[in-house]
mmCIF file of all heavy atoms in Angstrom:
data_model
loop_
_atom_site.group_PDB
_atom_site.id
_atom_site.type_symbol
_atom_site.label_atom_id
_atom_site.label_comp_id
_atom_site.label_asym_id
_atom_site.label_seq_id
_atom_site.Cartn_x
_atom_site.Cartn_y
_atom_site.Cartn_z
ATOM 1 N N ASP A 276 8.678 -0.681 25.761
ATOM 2 C CA ASP A 276 8.937 -0.375 27.175
ATOM 3 C C ASP A 276 10.414 -0.467 27.538
ATOM 4 O O ASP A 276 10.830 0.037 28.576
ATOM 5 C CB ASP A 276 8.117 -1.314 28.089
ATOM 6 C CG ASP A 276 8.366 -2.795 27.802
ATOM 7 O OD1 ASP A 276 8.858 -3.121 26.688
ATOM 8 O OD2 ASP A 276 8.083 -3.627 28.680
ATOM 9 N N LYS A 277 11.229 -1.126 26.688
ATOM 10 C CA LYS A 277 12.640 -1.224 27.065
ATOM 11 C C LYS A 277 13.609 -1.052 25.891
ATOM 12 O O LYS A 277 14.772 -1.393 26.001
ATOM 13 C CB LYS A 277 12.898 -2.550 27.787
ATOM 14 C CG LYS A 277 12.497 -3.784 27.005
ATOM 15 C CD LYS A 277 12.793 -5.025 27.848
ATOM 16 C CE LYS A 277 12.454 -6.286 27.113
ATOM 17 N NZ LYS A 277 12.359 -7.464 27.944
ATOM 18 N N ASP A 278 13.121 -0.526 24.771
ATOM 19 C CA ASP A 278 13.986 -0.329 23.613
ATOM 20 C C ASP A 278 14.775 0.965 23.790
ATOM 21 O O ASP A 278 14.283 2.056 23.524
ATOM 22 C CB ASP A 278 13.142 -0.276 22.335
ATOM 23 C CG ASP A 278 14.009 -0.170 21.089
ATOM 24 O OD1 ASP A 278 15.248 -0.007 21.221
ATOM 25 O OD2 ASP A 278 13.455 -0.231 19.979
ATOM 26 N N THR A 279 16.028 0.830 24.219
ATOM 27 C CA THR A 279 16.839 2.026 24.496
ATOM 28 C C THR A 279 17.293 2.719 23.206
ATOM 29 O O THR A 279 17.789 3.837 23.256
ATOM 30 C CB THR A 279 18.090 1.658 25.313
ATOM 31 O OG1 THR A 279 18.809 0.644 24.580
ATOM 32 C CG2 THR A 279 17.713 1.135 26.683
ATOM 33 N N LEU A 280 17.116 2.049 22.065
ATOM 34 C CA LEU A 280 17.537 2.647 20.796
ATOM 35 C C LEU A 280 16.442 3.525 20.182
ATOM 36 O O LEU A 280 16.694 4.308 19.278
ATOM 37 C CB LEU A 280 17.929 1.553 19.788
ATOM 38 C CG LEU A 280 18.928 0.509 20.285
ATOM 39 C CD1 LEU A 280 19.296 -0.456 19.156
ATOM 40 C CD2 LEU A 280 20.173 1.161 20.849
ATOM 41 N N TYR A 281 15.205 3.377 20.694
ATOM 42 C CA TYR A 281 14.051 4.098 20.144
ATOM 43 C C TYR A 281 14.288 5.608 20.182
ATOM 44 O O TYR A 281 14.687 6.160 21.205
ATOM 45 C CB TYR A 281 12.796 3.727 20.957
ATOM 46 C CG TYR A 281 11.554 4.481 20.579
ATOM 47 C CD1 TYR A 281 10.916 4.247 19.364
ATOM 48 C CD2 TYR A 281 11.018 5.434 21.445
ATOM 49 C CE1 TYR A 281 9.766 4.945 19.023
ATOM 50 C CE2 TYR A 281 9.865 6.133 21.105
ATOM 51 C CZ TYR A 281 9.248 5.880 19.891
ATOM 52 O OH TYR A 281 8.110 6.568 19.561
ATOM 53 N N HIS A 282 14.095 6.257 19.055
ATOM 54 C CA HIS A 282 14.275 7.703 18.923
ATOM 55 C C HIS A 282 15.655 8.176 19.404
ATOM 56 O O HIS A 282 15.779 9.245 19.996
ATOM 57 C CB HIS A 282 13.149 8.472 19.624
ATOM 58 C CG HIS A 282 11.903 8.530 18.778
ATOM 59 N ND1 HIS A 282 10.897 9.454 18.978
ATOM 60 C CD2 HIS A 282 11.511 7.807 17.715
ATOM 61 C CE1 HIS A 282 9.934 9.269 18.072
ATOM 62 N NE2 HIS A 282 10.283 8.268 17.295
ATOM 63 N N SER A 283 16.678 7.355 19.150
ATOM 64 C CA SER A 283 18.043 7.767 19.484
ATOM 65 C C SER A 283 18.899 7.698 18.220
ATOM 66 O O SER A 283 18.462 7.159 17.190
ATOM 67 C CB SER A 283 18.641 6.838 20.548
ATOM 68 O OG SER A 283 19.200 5.680 19.940
ATOM 69 N N VAL A 284 20.122 8.194 18.315
ATOM 70 C CA VAL A 284 21.031 8.124 17.163
ATOM 71 C C VAL A 284 21.535 6.694 16.935
ATOM 72 O O VAL A 284 22.241 6.430 15.967
ATOM 73 C CB VAL A 284 22.242 9.081 17.325
ATOM 74 C CG1 VAL A 284 21.776 10.520 17.395
ATOM 75 C CG2 VAL A 284 23.070 8.718 18.552
ATOM 76 N N ASN A 285 21.147 5.795 17.829
ATOM 77 C CA ASN A 285 21.601 4.396 17.709
ATOM 78 C C ASN A 285 20.575 3.459 17.069
ATOM 79 O O ASN A 285 20.769 2.240 17.073
ATOM 80 C CB ASN A 285 22.001 3.867 19.086
ATOM 81 C CG ASN A 285 23.157 4.662 19.668
ATOM 82 O OD1 ASN A 285 24.126 4.953 18.964
ATOM 83 N ND2 ASN A 285 23.043 5.055 20.918
ATOM 84 N N ASP A 286 19.479 4.016 16.517
ATOM 85 C CA ASP A 286 18.516 3.174 15.787
ATOM 86 C C ASP A 286 19.104 2.905 14.397
ATOM 87 O O ASP A 286 18.758 3.526 13.405
ATOM 88 C CB ASP A 286 17.146 3.879 15.700
ATOM 89 C CG ASP A 286 16.103 3.049 14.957
ATOM 90 O OD1 ASP A 286 16.415 1.918 14.520
ATOM 91 O OD2 ASP A 286 14.975 3.555 14.793
ATOM 92 N N GLU A 287 20.061 1.967 14.378
ATOM 93 C CA GLU A 287 20.879 1.709 13.186
ATOM 94 C C GLU A 287 20.575 0.341 12.587
ATOM 95 O O GLU A 287 20.119 -0.563 13.289
ATOM 96 C CB GLU A 287 22.369 1.694 13.567
ATOM 97 C CG GLU A 287 22.845 2.882 14.367
ATOM 98 C CD GLU A 287 23.593 3.884 13.525
ATOM 99 O OE1 GLU A 287 23.557 3.767 12.273
ATOM 100 O OE2 GLU A 287 24.224 4.776 14.111
ATOM 101 N N VAL A 288 20.909 0.193 11.330
ATOM 102 C CA VAL A 288 20.717 -1.070 10.610
ATOM 103 C C VAL A 288 21.349 -2.251 11.350
ATOM 104 O O VAL A 288 20.786 -3.343 11.395
ATOM 105 C CB VAL A 288 21.312 -0.938 9.184
ATOM 106 C CG1 VAL A 288 21.484 -2.291 8.527
ATOM 107 C CG2 VAL A 288 20.417 -0.045 8.323
ATOM 108 N N GLU A 289 22.512 -1.997 11.977
ATOM 109 C CA GLU A 289 23.238 -3.093 12.639
ATOM 110 C C GLU A 289 22.446 -3.711 13.784
ATOM 111 O O GLU A 289 22.723 -4.826 14.214
ATOM 112 C CB GLU A 289 24.593 -2.593 13.182
ATOM 113 C CG GLU A 289 25.619 -2.249 12.120
ATOM 114 C CD GLU A 289 25.299 -0.966 11.339
ATOM 115 O OE1 GLU A 289 24.609 -0.077 11.915
ATOM 116 O OE2 GLU A 289 25.703 -0.850 10.175
#
Side-chain angles (χ1 to χ4, degrees):
D276 55 340
K277 56 181 182 196
D278 184 353
T279 56
L280 309 184
Y281 175 70
H282 280 199
S283 85
V284 298
N285 298 315
D286 180 1
E287 309 258 12
V288 165
E289 291 72 27

